[in-house]
Amino acid sequence: MLQAIKFSKGNLEILDQLQLPFVEEYIPIRTTEDGWHAIKDMKVRGAPAIAIVAMLALAAELTSAVNSDNLSQSPEEVCQYIRDKLAYLVTSRPTAVNLADAARKLEAVVISRTKAPGSTGSEVAAAFIQAAEDMMGKDLEDNKRIGHNGAEWIATHAAKPGNSEVAVLTHCNTGSLATSGYGTALGVVRSLASKKILRHAYCTETRPYNQGSRLTAFELVHDKIPATLITDSMAAALLADTKVGVNAIVVGADRVAANGDTANKIGTYALAVLAKYHGVKFLVAAPLTTIDMATKSGEDIIIEQRAASEVTSIKGPCAGSEATDQITIETVKIAAPGINVWNPAFDITPASLIDGIITEVGVVEKGSDGQYHLGGLFDGSTF
C-alpha cells in the first residue's frame, strides 16, 4: 500500500503530490510553517491527510523543541503556544472540516493536560504528540471500515440481478495519498476489488488540478486494479453506455453538513446530477470527522477560490523525458493570455442527490421523510 505520510520519533516526511506520478519524492516537514505551506500549495491534499499532516507538523516542531531543550517548562506557556500554532494551521485550507476538527480535539487534549496537577511543559507537549500519532493510526482503521461498509452496500443495493460484479466511477483522489492509508472512496474501490466483485473502476481526470489522472490513476495502477481514465466531460456518455454498465459513483468529501449537503472537489455536483438522471447510485464516503453538525447546510460552507494559473496552465514532464533518469517537471500554458478565470476548488452536492453516506460505522440513508439525520451517528441512534 502506498504510504504518503511517514512519521517516526518526531520526524515527518510526506510524498510530494505535486510531482506525482512522474517523480516519487518525500520531503521533510519540520515546522508548522512547513506544514502550512505543504497544505496550501497542495503538496499534500485530501481532507483526512491535511488534518493529519497539520497535526504531525506541529508534533515534529514540538519534538525538536524538546530534544534541543528549547521548550518552556511552563504548561500554560506551552499550551498557549500550541493553541496559536493550531489556529495558524487551520487557515491553510478553509473548506475541509477535518483540519478544524482535529485542531479542536487536540486543543482539548492539551488544555486538559495543562490543568492536571503538577503538569510540566514537556508533559503538555508529549500529550499533544501522542494524540497526533493516535489520530494517524485511527484514520487508517476507519478507512478500512469505510471501504468494507461501502463495498457491502454497493454489492447489495447497486449490483444488477444475476451479475454480482460491479463497475464504479470515482472523482478526484480519495485513496492512500489523501489519507493515512487505504482511502475513503478509493478505499471502497479497493475493498470491492479484494472481495472479487469489482468488474472495473473508472476515474475522472479531475480538472483543473488533475488529481484523478495524476494520483488516482497512479494508485489504481500501483494496486493492479482494472481501471480506465476518462476526462470529466465524458462522464455522461460513460453512464449512458449500457455496455459499460456503471453501477455506482463513489466520491469523497471535504465537509458534510448536518443535512447531508456535501462539499467535494469541483465537478462532484455534476456527477450527482448525471447519476440521478441515469439511475446510478451516488455515494459519499467520509469518516465521521468530515461530518460537521455545526454547519446546517451547504449554503453555510465556505468555498475556497484558487489561483487562475491552475486552469490556464498544466504541469508534467516533456514527452519522452519520463523514459530517462532525469525527469524535469515543466509548466505549460494552455489558455489564451488575458482570459478571466473562475476557479472554485469545491462545489456543493445537495443531499437530495446522495443515495448514501458511507462512514466507518455504517452507511447512512435518508429517513422515511426523505431527509438525512446524521446526528444519530454521534449519539448511537442511527445504527
Side-chain angles (χ1 to χ4, degrees):
M1 186 170 60
L2 287 169
Q3 186 177 7
I5 305 169
K6 296 180 179 180
F7 186 79
S8 178
K9 298 179 180 179
N11 295 310
L12 173 62
E13 292 183 325
I14 64 168
L15 190 58
D16 185 355
Q17 297 185 31
L18 293 179
Q19 299 190 68
L20 290 174
F22 310 106
V23 177
E24 296 183 42
E25 179 183 358
Y26 286 90
I27 56 175
I29 303 294
R30 297 187 175 91
T31 66
T32 51
E33 286 73 20
D34 290 346
W36 190 94
H37 286 289
I39 294 167
K40 186 68 174 179
D41 298 340
M42 294 182 71
K43 292 180 179 178
V44 60
R45 19 81 34 224
I50 286 170
I52 292 165
V53 168
M55 297 307 104
L56 292 179
L58 180 48
E61 183 173 310
L62 290 170
T63 299
S64 178
V66 170
N67 292 341
S68 59
D69 201 26
N70 287 328
L71 188 75
S72 169
Q73 281 309 299
S74 165
E76 292 78 15
E77 288 183 7
V78 174
C79 178
Q80 189 58 52
Y81 179 84
I82 292 173
R83 296 179 71 182
D84 290 344
K85 291 292 186 178
L86 288 173
Y88 165 70
L89 285 163
V90 168
T91 65
S92 59
R93 295 295 299 273
T95 302
V97 71
N98 302 60
L99 175 51
D101 179 73
R104 189 163 49 247
K105 289 176 178 175
L106 267 64
E107 182 179 38
V109 169
V110 167
I111 291 173
S112 176
R113 186 61 194 178
T114 300
K115 293 179 178 179
S119 182
T120 66
S122 295
E123 289 173 344
V124 171
F128 178 91
I129 294 167
Q130 186 61 57
E133 291 179 344
D134 292 345
M135 181 175 291
M136 183 175 179
K138 184 178 185 302
D139 181 69
L140 179 59
E141 294 174 3
D142 289 346
N143 290 342
K144 291 182 177 180
R145 293 192 188 100
I146 288 170
H148 171 77
N149 294 338
E152 292 291 311
W153 193 96
I154 289 172
T156 302
H157 297 87
K160 303 298 182 183
N163 186 0
S164 61
E165 290 189 317
V166 296
V168 175
L169 171 65
T170 191
H171 185 58
C172 199
N173 176 258
T174 55
S176 297
L177 298 173
T179 63
S180 63
Y182 203 72
T184 53
L186 199 56
V188 174
V189 174
R190 283 191 165 100
S191 185
L192 286 167
S194 70
K195 296 175 187 295
K196 309 298 184 184
I197 55 177
L198 179 71
R199 183 173 75 253
H200 208 82
Y202 294 87
C203 62
T204 57
E205 187 180 35
T206 323
R207 284 287 294 151
Y209 222 57
N210 299 306
Q211 293 100 318
S213 60
R214 290 191 303 109
L215 307 178
T216 299
F218 177 72
E219 291 200 43
L220 291 167
V221 171
H222 178 276
D223 284 14
K224 297 181 174 59
I225 293 173
T228 298
L229 172 69
I230 65 169
T231 67
D232 297 15
S233 57
M234 294 174 183
L238 183 76
L239 297 186
D241 191 332
T242 56
K243 293 180 181 179
V244 172
V246 171
N247 301 83
I249 298 176
V250 187
V251 301
D254 286 81
R255 187 185 296 250
V256 179
N259 71 338
D261 291 351
T262 296
N264 193 49
K265 176 67 183 178
I266 189 75
T268 301
Y269 178 29
L271 290 176
V273 172
L274 291 172
K276 180 66 71 174
Y277 180 81
H278 290 94
V280 172
K281 298 297 184 182
F282 186 89
L283 299 157
V284 170
L288 295 184
T289 52
T290 305
I291 298 173
D292 183 12
M293 297 303 296
T295 299
K296 293 182 179 180
S297 72
E299 293 181 355
D300 301 318
I301 298 176
I302 298 171
I303 299 297
E304 176 187 359
Q305 296 288 331
R306 293 192 60 83
S309 60
E310 293 179 359
V311 176
T312 59
S313 63
I314 195 166
K315 293 182 179 180
C318 291
S321 68
E322 63 267 28
T324 71
D325 293 332
Q326 301 297 321
I327 296 178
T328 301
I329 305 296
E330 298 186 359
T331 300
V332 178
K333 293 183 178 180
I334 57 173
I339 187 67
N340 291 325
V341 171
W342 182 58
N343 185 21
F346 309 94
D347 59 24
I348 306 296
T349 299
S352 59
L353 297 177
I354 300 171
D355 291 300
I357 299 173
I358 309 166
T359 75
E360 63 268 35
V361 297
V363 181
V364 186
E365 300 177 35
K366 300 183 188 75
S368 57
D369 58 356
Q371 305 295 315
Y372 281 105
H373 301 281
L374 299 178
L377 289 167
F378 302 93
D379 63 20
S381 63
T382 297
F383 298 103

